[in-house]
Amino acid sequence: MGGYGSIQPLLNSNKDLLRKKSLFRDKEKRLKSEEGELEFVKLSDEELKLFKKEMAKQSWKEKVLGIIAVLFVIAFVSFTVNYLIQENRNYKEYIASKNYQRKLNEFNKYLKKGDEFYYDGHYKNALFFYKKSSVLFPENSLVKTKMNNCYRLRCENENIDCNKLVR
């Protein structure tokens, strides 16, 4: 609290917060303009009506400018949001095409590896890689045909997998 428990520092700081009385003594000096005292001009009824019309026009102009500013901000925000949404769509399409390309490359790699084993007569290994490529593109008829050929040749040569056919 300061002052070892004394309240005096608190009272001193409150005195600093109060306004000086001298600010209120010179009230008339502050009301005077550069040329002297303020003068209030009385207007006739017609002049008062014209003044009110001018004020109404000015108020109307300010409202129109405010509406135009709000419309401008809304248009700017909407165009910005539209642009960001479009960029997001383009990015998603780009990612999807990259993923599809990666998947297709992997499919071709497994298919090629399966073909190598198929031509070497290792049908079990060929089936392994054909199944891996079938997982990537399950409806691919080429892979199904190659798998059926492997099953047929295994059945003919080794009497294994005679009942397995891929449809």
Side-chain angles (χ1 to χ4, degrees):
M1 186 146 151
Y4 302 100
S6 171
I7 197 165
Q8 191 61 39
L10 185 62
L11 293 175
N12 287 343
S13 66
N14 282 343
K15 284 180 186 176
D16 294 338
L17 294 175
L18 297 175
R19 291 186 182 238
K20 297 180 180 179
K21 292 179 184 176
S22 64
L23 291 175
F24 300 107
R25 286 187 202 137
D26 301 328
K27 189 176 184 182
E28 291 178 14
K29 288 181 184 176
R30 286 186 291 127
L31 290 177
K32 291 184 179 178
S33 66
E34 293 178 9
E35 299 147 4
E37 291 188 23
L38 295 175
E39 294 182 20
F40 296 100
V41 179
K42 291 199 172 196
L43 298 176
S44 66
D45 289 340
E46 290 178 17
E47 290 173 331
L48 194 57
K49 286 180 184 178
L50 286 174
F51 182 72
K52 285 181 181 179
K53 283 183 182 179
E54 286 296 321
M55 292 301 289
K57 278 184 184 178
Q58 187 175 358
S59 173
W60 185 80
K61 287 179 182 177
E62 288 174 0
K63 286 179 185 177
V64 168
L65 286 175
I67 290 171
I68 289 172
V70 167
L71 290 176
F72 177 75
V73 168
I74 289 172
F76 178 75
V77 168
S78 64
F79 284 128
T80 303
V81 167
N82 188 25
Y83 174 75
L84 292 175
I85 289 172
Q86 187 64 32
E87 284 297 313
N88 191 20
R89 282 186 194 144
N90 291 344
Y91 181 71
K92 284 181 180 179
E93 289 173 3
Y94 172 76
I95 294 297
S97 70
K98 283 292 185 185
N99 285 340
Y100 181 79
Q101 188 63 38
R102 181 194 51 80
K103 191 175 169 183
L104 188 61
N105 288 341
E106 197 171 344
F107 172 79
N108 288 332
K109 181 179 78 171
Y110 290 144
L111 201 60
K112 184 178 178 184
K113 199 76 163 159
D115 287 343
E116 289 175 8
F117 282 114
Y118 178 80
Y119 293 123
D120 289 342
H122 302 287
Y123 304 118
K124 184 177 180 180
N125 294 340
L127 276 171
F128 174 78
F129 285 105
Y130 289 150
K131 285 179 184 177
K132 278 188 139 190
S133 62
S134 175
V135 168
L136 295 172
F137 291 102
E139 297 301 318
N140 192 309
S141 60
L142 178 65
V143 175
K144 289 179 181 181
T145 304
K146 290 184 180 214
M147 287 174 69
N148 283 333
N149 287 341
C150 284
Y151 285 132
R152 183 182 52 79
L153 289 172
R154 282 190 80 185
C155 181
E156 288 175 3
N157 296 339
E158 303 169 12
N159 258 349
I160 303 174
D161 296 334
C162 293
N163 59 349
K164 291 186 180 177
L165 283 178
V166 181
R167 294 183 184 174

